[in-house]
Amino acid sequence: AQSVAQPEDQVNVAEGNPLTVKCTYSVSGNPYLFWYVQYPNRGLQFLLKYITGDNLVKGSYGFEAEFNKSQTSFHLKKPSALVSDSALYFCAVRVESYNTDKLIFGTGTRLQVFP
Amino acid sequence: DGGITQSPKYLFRKEGQNVTLSCEQNLNHDAMYWYRQDPGQGLRLIYYSQIVNDFQKGDIAEGYSVSREKKESFPLTVTSAQKNPTAFYLCASSPRGPGANVLTFGAGSRLTVL
């Protein structure tokens, strides 16, 4: 089955420290991978995506993600966390077939950045 | 400004009642989606539509219905057959082609069954 997993329900980090939010995936074929962020009582916002090319993808708000095919991972990273980065983060993978084209989302990881 | 508008933002329903959540987009996107969000379960796909007058069931379609009569509109009806309808509902849209799967989300509708 095609799926995406976020093993951590919550990640805590001090402001100014680097942060990592983990994501692993299971898909057939080449993966299309995405990260979205959700602020309280709001919809999700697109951060970045990996389709092909460089394994390190840069996105919005200083975030980047590293695609690792051998480990089937797509971890979200930021060199220096801000308190305003505190939010819920979702990893997603594209599932495509002859009659299907949709995203499957992980369960989300809550990022808490402490001043 | 282009975007997705969901209404109402908050909705209360008595058991046994059907309710319809509105989703309108002015982004000229072909594809539209409905997701349900529950704490600890992430987003689960209810229905999606790639083109007008066509839609497909997602992973949790039972107890829900949709229509796609216009490109910009994709309303979701939560029927009385949905056993646990209290949740946060998110509508999204995306273009076809190179931008496909980069979803733009609405602000959500929170449904509470009393």
Side-chain angles (χ1 to χ4, degrees):
Chain A
Q2 304 188 84
S3 63
V4 60
Q6 295 181 242
E8 302 157 316
D9 290 336
Q10 181 154 333
V11 170
N12 298 318
V13 64
E15 188 174 33
N17 283 0
L19 69 87
T20 298
V21 182
K22 296 180 180 178
C23 172
T24 59
Y25 65 89
S26 174
V27 296
S28 55
N30 293 321
Y32 287 21
L33 297 159
F34 303 79
W35 275 102
Y36 286 80
V37 60
Q38 184 181 32
Y39 297 99
N41 296 311
R42 301 296 303 276
L44 279 66
Q45 297 177 30
F46 169 76
L47 276 180
L48 51 80
K49 67 178 179 180
Y50 172 83
I51 305 296
T52 186
D54 288 342
N55 290 341
L56 187 63
V57 179
K58 294 189 182 298
S60 307
Y61 312 122
F63 284 93
E64 56 191 28
E66 185 171 13
F67 172 68
N68 187 317
K69 188 173 183 177
S70 63
Q71 297 185 5
T72 61
S73 68
F74 189 55
H75 299 334
L76 182 69
K77 299 181 179 184
K78 188 173 183 182
S80 179
L82 300 172
V83 172
S84 58
D85 292 330
S86 298
L88 190 56
Y89 290 81
F90 290 95
C91 183
V93 64
R94 182 189 189 192
V95 173
E96 185 188 23
S97 67
Y98 76 98
N99 66 346
T100 298
D101 189 354
K102 61 184 181 180
L103 290 186
I104 295 178
F105 286 84
T107 52
T109 298
R110 186 165 302 281
L111 174 65
Q112 192 73 43
V113 181
F114 295 95
Chain B
D1 288 338
I4 297 183
T5 302
Q6 289 187 241
S7 63
K9 190 168 185 177
Y10 298 97
L11 184 61
F12 298 89
R13 183 193 100 175
K14 294 181 180 180
E15 285 191 18
Q17 288 182 336
N18 292 355
V19 294
T20 297
L21 307 180
S22 171
C23 178
E24 303 278 333
Q25 55 103 355
N26 60 4
L27 300 166
N28 199 33
H29 285 172
D30 287 297
M32 296 188 75
Y33 310 80
W34 274 105
Y35 287 89
R36 171 181 170 141
Q37 184 176 16
D38 296 281
Q41 296 194 53
L43 275 68
R44 292 181 290 168
L45 184 63
I46 305 172
Y47 269 98
Y48 63 107
S49 169
Q50 303 280 10
I51 57 173
V52 175
N53 292 323
D54 186 48
F55 49 83
Q56 294 174 276
K57 292 182 179 180
D59 302 314
I60 55 164
E62 185 175 352
Y64 299 97
S65 65
V66 293
S67 63
R68 186 87 187 276
E69 298 176 0
K70 298 186 296 182
K71 187 176 184 178
E72 58 270 24
S73 179
F74 192 42
L76 173 74
T77 296
V78 184
T79 74
S80 57
Q82 170 49 236
K83 298 304 179 187
N84 185 20
T86 295
F88 190 51
Y89 291 88
L90 288 163
C91 180
S93 69
S94 72
R96 303 186 87 176
N101 305 122
V102 177
L103 274 58
T104 299
F105 281 83
S109 292
R110 188 168 298 279
L111 172 62
T112 302
V113 174
L114 303 173

